[in-house]
Amino acid sequence: MEWIAPIATLVIVVVLPYVVNLCKKAEWNANIKRWIAIGLSLIVGVATGVLSGVPTPETLLTWVLAVIGGTQVAYAAFKSIGITSGWLDA
């Protein structure tokens, strides 16, 4: 279990910027870029939740808010290069 936090950190710090830059430079279809943005934003959100710890009944609300916040921050990185999603904008 001690390897979960480092992997989550790598996803947030290394993988997210790399994929955002890859989507910026790639000649992919807009739908492919949109699905990558949605998927990676959700992965980063869960990684943020994992970094805040395993949810217990007392910390469930904090954990859910960490996941939502992580998802929105990751999506903001994609939105800054013009990739948007109606689901994550709502």
Side-chain angles (χ1 to χ4, degrees):
M1 294 302 272
E2 14 189 94
W3 51 269
I4 292 176
I7 289 175
T9 304
L10 282 175
V11 166
I12 295 169
V13 175
V14 176
V15 174
L16 177 64
Y18 176 78
V19 173
V20 168
N21 193 35
L22 183 64
C23 285
K24 182 179 173 183
K25 295 180 186 272
E27 297 290 329
W28 296 333
N29 183 342
N31 280 335
I32 293 172
K33 290 180 180 182
R34 184 176 301 113
W35 282 108
I36 289 172
I38 291 169
L40 190 59
S41 294
L42 293 175
I43 290 170
V44 168
V46 170
T48 305
V50 166
L51 288 176
S52 69
V54 176
T56 62
E58 296 84 22
T59 64
L60 183 62
L61 180 62
T62 305
W63 190 85
V64 168
L65 292 175
V67 170
I68 292 170
T71 301
Q72 289 299 321
V73 168
Y75 174 62
F78 285 104
K79 197 171 181 179
S80 71
I81 63 168
I83 300 172
T84 59
S85 167
W87 292 349
L88 296 177
D89 278 334

